[in-house]
Amino acid sequence: MKEEKPISVEKVQIKEQLDTVFGIREEVFVIEQEVDPSEEYDEFEDISLHFLAKSDGEPAGTARWRFTDKGVKLERFAVLKSKRGKGVGYALVNAVIEDIKLNPDAKGKKLYLHAQLDAMPLYAKFGFRQVGDMFEECNIKHFKMELYL
């Protein structure tokens, strides 16, 4: 039996990592979920902290977080189809929350995200709670979820 390598999550530091992140988002959001590229890539790329997850040493998923006037927004969580159901999403959410906890400017701020319906149980494992009514973003159903650290 092949031994599974643990999932690693690293903060993006160099352009090559960011290119990989954008490639994952392209595959998951633009190709698989048919999100318009103009909606997927935005003016917040440069001010966000990006993360790259690897499984078996291969790129597997990504996420980012940034400060907003409403608190700290976690977004762009994407896991490649072939890597789903293996803990990559969990590792990403955990790494992003841990990174936010280390940032003194985040202390006392609300963490929030726009969760696709099938991802809500994952975020709930970390204490995120649904807030408000369902809405559509890029023709995909979402709920806002919030967490106070």
Side-chain angles (χ1 to χ4, degrees), residues 19-36:
D19 291 344
T20 301
V21 160
F22 288 161
I24 292 169
R25 286 172 41 190
E26 175 85 13
E27 192 168 322
V28 173
F29 294 126
V30 177
I31 296 169
E32 183 184 333
Q33 297 184 348
E34 300 179 349
V35 171
D36 188 308

Side-chain angles (χ1 to χ4, degrees), residues 70-86:
K70 297 180 186 100
V72 179
K73 187 171 187 193
L74 292 72
E75 53 193 358
R76 301 301 198 272
F77 283 89
V79 176
L80 295 172
K81 197 175 238 180
S82 64
K83 303 291 187 179
R84 290 182 196 151
K86 300 177 179 172

Side-chain angles (χ1 to χ4, degrees), residues 1 12 18 24 32 39 48 55-56 81 90 93 112 119 132 145 148:
M1 192 165 99
V12 169
L18 193 59
I24 292 169
E32 183 184 333
E39 297 278 337
S48 299
S55 175
D56 290 329
K81 197 175 238 180
Y90 187 93
V93 177
Y112 71 101
M145 297 184 81
Y148 291 89

Side-chain angles (χ1 to χ4, degrees), residues 109-123:
K109 291 205 178 354
K110 171 179 69 181
L111 277 57
Y112 71 101
L113 49 81
H114 294 170
Q116 292 186 16
L117 302 188
D118 58 357
M120 290 176 68
L122 169 62
Y123 302 126

Side-chain angles (χ1 to χ4, degrees), residues 63-142:
R64 75 179 194 191
W65 74 268
R66 62 186 170 93
F67 289 105
T68 71
D69 57 356
K70 297 180 186 100
V72 179
K73 187 171 187 193
L74 292 72
E75 53 193 358
R76 301 301 198 272
F77 283 89
V79 176
L80 295 172
K81 197 175 238 180
S82 64
K83 303 291 187 179
R84 290 182 196 151
K86 300 177 179 172
V88 175
Y90 187 93
L92 272 166
V93 177
N94 191 57
V96 169
I97 290 173
E98 289 304 312
D99 190 65
I100 293 168
K101 285 180 183 176
L102 294 173
N103 189 310
D105 295 334
K107 194 160 184 67
K109 291 205 178 354
K110 171 179 69 181
L111 277 57
Y112 71 101
L113 49 81
H114 294 170
Q116 292 186 16
L117 302 188
D118 58 357
M120 290 176 68
L122 169 62
Y123 302 126
K125 288 179 183 174
F126 291 90
F128 281 90
R129 296 290 167 250
Q130 174 185 322
V131 178
D133 296 325
M134 188 171 60
F135 61 93
E136 280 199 10
E137 215 169 55
C138 301
N139 297 317
I140 300 168
K141 291 176 173 41
H142 290 75

